[in-house]
Amino acid sequence: MRSDAARTEARVVEIVFPDHCNHLGTLFGGQALAWMDKAAFLAASRFCGRTVVTARSDRIDFRRAVRLGEIVELVAIVVGVGRSSMTVRVSLSSKATPGAPPMLATSGEFVMVAVDDAGHAVAVDRAIGA
């Protein structure tokens, strides 16, 4: 049986390739947001056991540039639950080589909403820690 932490968290690992970068050789902000949104989707859908959609992103902080070839790890954690929504905190850290310590590059929160097959919001049937 999975622990509660495993049901509220998702981890995604990516590598920054040339098509992810701008003319300066650093990760496009839009690509970082897409990866963060994907991680938020995985954490929220795992948490509630349903399909989820993105309702909003809040306070995205770009702290440092991520360079071509760096390894990126995203950690998404469900930190709040409403009637049909979940707030997911996502951090994006990168490291230049596999043995190097990760450095926080970007962080933010995403609000995800549980939906039924018709795309209508449905209640999330559990709370954090439940």
Side-chain angles (χ1 to χ4, degrees), residues 75-116:
V75 178
I77 301 170
V78 177
V79 296
V81 179
R83 190 190 75 72
S84 62
S85 66
M86 291 147 284
T87 301
V88 183
R89 187 168 299 135
V90 183
S91 64
L92 183 154
S93 298
S94 66
K95 51 187 172 179
T97 60
M103 297 180 63
L104 181 63
T106 307
S107 61
E109 289 189 348
F110 292 76
V111 176
M112 311 301 283
V113 174
V115 295
D116 62 17

Side-chain angles (χ1 to χ4, degrees), residues 17-60:
F17 287 114
D19 62 328
H20 301 135
C21 292
N22 60 28
H23 65 289
L24 300 173
T26 59
L27 184 65
F28 279 119
Q31 182 65 61
L33 289 171
W35 286 344
M36 292 172 77
D37 188 45
K38 178 170 72 171
F41 167 86
L42 292 168
S45 61
R46 177 184 289 170
F47 178 83
C48 70
R50 294 188 153 280
T51 296
V52 299
V53 295
T54 306
R56 136 177 122 239
S57 59
D58 288 330
R59 179 80 194 232
I60 306 298

